[in-house]
Amino acid sequence: MSIRRPCVLSLSGHDPVGGAGIHADIEAIAAQGLHPLSVITALTVQDSRNVARVETVPPGLLSEQLARLEADCDIRAIKIGLLGDPAQVALAVALVARLGVPAVLDPVLRAGGGRELAGSSLESAIREQLVPNVSLLTPNAAEARRLAQVAPDADADACAPVLLARGCANLLITGGDEPGAQVRNTWYRPGVVPRRYSWPRLPETFHGAGCTLASAIAARLAAGDDMETAITSGQSWTQSTLERAIAVGHGRRIPGRH
Ligand code: PLP
């Protein structure tokens, strides 16, 4: 009898630079010893500085891919990144409900280079349909403010009660996009004192750090770690990839995941 390797299913966009999106997810999941399954939600035109264009993959094609994988593979966790339109959000919600495995959502609303990646209908579909149904949400501070609909200069802590009230079980707000000599990440859960993590801010800027973190945590959950262990070890592994980040273009560095 064959023993199938446990898999993590990544539903993410393709970044040809290989810093963010599905490249990041595949490398981060494989580095944790799990097999990555990759379903590509969108093709992008971008370089290491910014995104220029996004072309969404038709949801019918994604459904066919998912049906094959679900029937064939041992899927232990799901990582969701860039989604192209509200129809893909509905598909992701149904997938999470069907599989009943941990699902980590890295809500991609804007590229680090500044390009807007979610129109208002996509943003509200993510907020209303997906946020309440995932095991862990990993926005950066700016994304958390947008999803919580608080002022752009509000303290990141102000987002937590709003997002948790929506039904989000675990919220990890990352502070890589905030100022300060330390990057401060905070894990919020309903009824529990927030847990704060602090990492030395490295001198460079990075492309794909958020995807790397969310995928590493999803893989740790798939491997059987509890949420606390997965969040802690996912962050320390991601920090190590930033310490050995590489330049592949003229813009931001990409995490050194292998
Ligand atoms: N392209 C894709 C496909 C992504 O998924 C993301 C972020 O998740 C980006 C680009 C932007 O990445 P960053 O903000 O790290 O530059």
Side-chain angles (χ1 to χ4, degrees):
M1 198 178 85
S2 73
I3 299 180
R4 293 178 305 167
R5 179 168 289 216
C7 301
V8 177
L9 171 58
S10 166
L11 203 55
S12 301
H14 179 249
D15 162 22
V17 177
I22 211 94
H23 267 265
D25 298 359
I26 289 171
E27 292 174 6
I29 292 163
Q32 318 305 316
L34 284 287
H35 178 72
L37 302 173
S38 54
V39 172
I40 297 178
T41 56
L43 299 179
T44 69
V45 177
Q46 62 180 298
D47 57 26
S48 57
R49 296 189 176 103
N50 204 358
V51 177
R53 182 172 162 193
V54 178
E55 281 292 322
T56 300
V57 174
L61 184 55
L62 299 190
S63 297
E64 281 186 55
Q65 292 178 322
L66 291 172
R68 298 277 170 157
L69 296 176
E70 288 173 61
D72 198 25
C73 304
D74 179 10
I75 302 171
R76 301 274 178 93
I78 306 166
K79 185 265 172 172
I80 304 165
L82 177 68
L83 294 172
D85 57 25
Q88 289 191 356
V89 175
L91 191 136
V93 172
L95 173 74
V96 170
R98 270 199 314 277
L99 291 188
V101 297
V104 178
L105 170 63
D106 181 31
V108 182
L109 303 180
R110 183 193 299 247
R115 164 78 187 223
E116 204 44 60
L117 293 173
S120 61
S121 62
L122 175 57
E123 184 179 320
S124 50
I126 292 172
R127 178 187 300 117
E128 283 154 28
Q129 296 166 41
L130 204 44
V131 165
N133 288 298
V134 292
S135 320
L136 173 67
L137 179 69
T138 63
N140 62 27
E143 289 161 342
R145 291 186 186 100
R146 273 174 68 170
L147 289 175
Q149 297 175 294
V150 300
D153 59 351
D155 195 287
D157 279 340
C159 305
V162 183
L163 295 172
L164 294 180
R166 281 202 172 271
C168 167
N170 292 278
L171 170 67
L172 179 68
I173 301 183
T174 59
D177 59 332
E178 298 277 84
Q182 299 287 310
V183 172
R184 297 184 192 285
N185 301 337
T186 309
W187 174 28
Y188 307 88
R189 285 167 286 173
V192 179
V193 177
R195 169 136 182 218
R196 303 198 186 269
Y197 303 84
S198 185
W199 303 95
R201 186 178 299 277
L202 302 169
E204 296 89 11
T205 54
F206 304 102
H207 169 51
C211 307
T212 303
L213 174 63
S215 296
I217 296 174
R220 300 279 178 158
L221 291 171
D225 282 4
D226 59 31
M227 187 60 77
E228 179 168 12
T229 310
I231 284 179
T232 306
S233 59
Q235 286 178 84
S236 48
W237 183 76
T238 300
Q239 182 74 6
S240 75
T241 70
L242 301 182
E243 284 162 3
R244 52 176 188 264
I246 52 171
V248 295
H250 296 96
R252 287 167 293 148
R253 289 179 179 236
I254 72 169
R257 291 173 291 246
H258 53 80

